């Protein structure tokens, strides 16, 4: 594990600089791009309109091309909605990927709120309506899961930093800890999950501020289905799937590296960073190739899931075999 004293000075010297200039500017430019497409359809109370059948891909690709210059989107064939919503990991509901959809079907996600707290000037509880109001962007990201498969998912969401900005993190905040909703009465597999629940995850502050990291509230232009983490979940496109904590209720800015569920579960198999890295094998399998859901032959796995240009600088000077 990387100790605090190992953190590169440039990563921590002036947190306000990150917030006020670099990341926010970049985010603002991206926000402008997405807004210009005129595809902002989410209004406060209404669910997003049903897209005409057969036009979904085109709509998503117009988002892709409009933001093409940003390099933050992928122009690859999308995984089908059917696969995205029927091949899931959400242990609170089921440990069988094909059963999560059925088990999570009646999961009620309104009312809902997310508390953003810890080392911040302005802790706040955001209700779902307010979070949807903050959601100003739509983007295509792909996500890869550690078990050796990947999907290209047209997420709808907003950059995490836009939420963090509102609570004004203090310079002492160096990590962000996330916690999922947990209620055994409403989650049928809670006691049989084999996990120490509630599910928790974490990011280093500079990772959390990267505009690629989003809070997703929908996919394929539709409200997020329960099995995919309704009503709001994390998507970190350059990391393995398990980083994408679902049904978030708490986000806490902290000074020390927070615990993460899969690292607690199997520390030799799952590290804190969980970056997609074809050069570092999982102890029980190679991570050099992956199966893209819907394809027959395996593909070569790309470093940082193909986002090396955008995120490699975050890990400069780190030994990614040690900090896996
Ligand atoms: N709360 C919660 N979040 C979770 C999980 C979980 O079991 N519980 N599983 C993780 C794992 S292991 C993966 S691979 C992804 C799967 O996301 P998907 O079903 O949307 O593809 O969710 C992650 N988020
Ligand atoms: Mo996973």
């Amino acid at each position: 594990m990387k100790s605090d004293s190992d953190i590169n000075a440039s990563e921590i010297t002036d947190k306000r600089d990150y917030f006020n200039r670099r990341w926010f500017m970049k985010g603002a430019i991206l926000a402008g791009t997405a807004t210009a497409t005129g595809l902002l359809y989410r209004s406060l109370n209404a669910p997003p309109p049903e897209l005409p059948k057969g036009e979904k891909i085109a709509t998503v690709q117009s988002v892709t091309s409009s933001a093409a210059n940003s390099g933050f989107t992928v122009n690859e064939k999308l995984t089908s909605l059917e696969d995205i919503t029927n091949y899931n990991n959400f242990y609170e509901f089921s440990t069988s990927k094909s059963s999560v959809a059925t088990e999570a079907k009646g999961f009620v996600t309104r009312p809902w709120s997310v508390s953003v707290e810890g080392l911040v000037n302005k802790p706040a509880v955001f209700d779902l309506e307010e979070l949807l109001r903050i959601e100003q962007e739509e983007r295509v990201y792909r996500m890869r899961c550690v078990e050796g498969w990947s999907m290209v998912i047209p997420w709808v969401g907003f950059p995490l930093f836009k939420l963090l900005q509102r609570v004004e993190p203090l310079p002492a905040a160096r990590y962000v800890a996330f916690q999922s909703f947990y209620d055994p009465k409403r989650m049928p597999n809670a006691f049989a999950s084999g996990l120490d629940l509630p599910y928790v995850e974490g990011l280093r502050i500079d990772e959390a501020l990267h505009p690629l990291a989003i809070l997703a509230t929908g996919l394929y232009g539709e409200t997020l289905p329960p099995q995919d983490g309704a009503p709001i979940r994390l998507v970190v496109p350059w990391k393995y799937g398990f980083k994408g904590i679902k049904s978030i209720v708490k986000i806490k800015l902290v000074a020390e590296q927070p615990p993460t569920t899969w690292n607690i579960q199997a520390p030799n198999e799952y590290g804190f960073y969980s970056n997609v890295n074809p050069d570092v094998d999982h102890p029980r399998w190679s991570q050099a190739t992956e199966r893209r859901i819907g394809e027959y032959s395996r593909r070569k796995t790309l470093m940082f899931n193909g986002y090396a240009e955008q995120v490699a600088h975050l890990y400069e000077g780190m030994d990614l075999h040690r900090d896996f």
Side-chain angles (χ1 to χ4, degrees):
M1 281 294 154
K2 179 171 168 173
S3 77
D4 280 355
S5 57
D6 289 341
I7 293 179
N8 191 309
S10 67
E11 288 175 302
I12 56 167
T13 36
D14 196 345
K15 209 50 63 48
R16 279 156 304 182
D17 194 58
Y18 270 128
F19 274 101
N20 295 339
R21 297 218 319 267
R22 236 166 113 210
W23 298 118
F24 283 176
M25 282 308 292
K26 210 167 177 184
I29 292 161
L30 286 168
T33 312
T35 307
T37 65
L39 284 164
L40 264 178
Y41 53 70
R42 230 165 238 262
S43 62
L44 182 55
N45 296 309
E50 188 70 29
L51 293 167
K53 283 254 180 302
E55 279 184 33
K56 289 182 177 180
I57 304 267
T59 306
V60 165
Q61 275 171 352
S62 60
V63 176
T64 310
S65 57
S66 73
N69 292 336
S70 72
F72 278 37
T73 58
V74 290
N75 214 345
E76 294 183 37
K77 190 175 179 294
L78 298 172
T79 304
S80 73
L81 182 61
E82 178 71 15
D83 281 338
I84 294 171
T85 55
N86 288 285
Y87 193 80
N88 300 102
N89 270 343
F90 201 161
Y91 278 42
E92 292 91 324
F93 291 100
S94 175
T95 47
S96 152
K97 294 187 214 321
S98 55
S99 302
V100 176
T102 321
E103 296 298 331
K105 200 162 186 217
F107 185 51
V108 177
T109 55
R110 277 179 203 249
W112 194 275
S113 61
V114 179
S115 172
V116 190
E117 53 185 71
L119 299 170
V120 299
N121 265 329
K122 295 180 175 168
V125 177
F126 296 87
D127 61 27
L128 186 57
E129 287 64 34
E130 193 165 1
L131 292 165
L132 293 176
R133 212 178 298 145
I134 296 170
E135 182 208 293
Q136 296 166 20
E137 297 178 41
E138 302 162 45
R139 202 96 75 237
V140 180
Y141 293 126
R142 68 176 140 163
M143 164 179 171
R144 177 182 188 269
C145 296
V146 72
E147 291 80 3
W149 78 86
S150 61
M151 298 189 191
V152 182
I153 302 175
W155 297 108
V156 177
F158 60 91
L160 171 63
F161 80 81
K162 291 201 172 180
L163 185 64
L164 299 181
Q165 180 181 34
R166 279 163 209 256
V167 297
E168 298 179 6
L170 298 169
R174 295 167 71 178
Y175 293 90
V176 184
F178 301 83
Q179 188 180 311
S180 284
F181 177 84
Y182 179 62
D183 180 357
K185 291 195 290 294
R186 293 166 60 187
M187 300 174 128
N189 199 49
F191 296 129
S193 72
L195 299 176
D196 184 8
L197 298 173
Y199 198 97
V200 290
E201 256 306 336
L203 293 172
R204 213 172 54 198
I205 188 79
D206 55 341
E207 298 177 317
L209 296 179
H210 194 287
L212 266 177
I214 64 163
L215 288 170
T217 52
L219 57 84
Y220 263 115
E222 294 173 13
T223 304
L224 206 57
Q227 63 267 37
D228 286 282
I232 187 160
R233 62 88 59 84
L234 183 66
V235 176
V236 192
W238 69 95
K239 292 178 184 272
Y240 291 114
F242 59 88
K243 266 314 208 200
I245 182 172
K246 297 177 170 183
S247 307
I248 297 168
V249 292
K250 189 159 93 178
I251 299 176
K252 188 171 183 180
L253 287 98
V254 295
E256 306 293 333
Q257 184 177 294
T260 65
T261 290
W262 284 101
N263 181 248
I264 294 168
Q265 190 69 12
N268 61 320
E269 299 187 10
Y270 306 103
F272 175 81
Y273 285 94
S274 317
N275 289 316
V276 172
N277 191 337
D279 303 330
V280 177
D281 288 345
H282 183 281
R284 291 184 281 133
W285 53 77
S286 161
Q287 300 195 129
T289 64
E290 66 197 42
R291 184 168 65 93
R292 175 72 50 88
I293 299 295
E295 293 180 353
Y296 291 101
S297 46
R298 296 181 71 86
R299 314 177 152 235
K300 269 205 160 108
T301 290
L302 301 175
M303 190 63 194
F304 298 115
N305 199 22
Y307 294 99
E309 204 183 308
Q310 287 82 25
V311 302
H313 69 276
L314 298 175
Y315 309 101
E316 252 162 38
M318 284 175 64
D319 175 356
L320 298 181
H321 288 263
R322 194 191 59 174
D323 292 318
F324 61 100

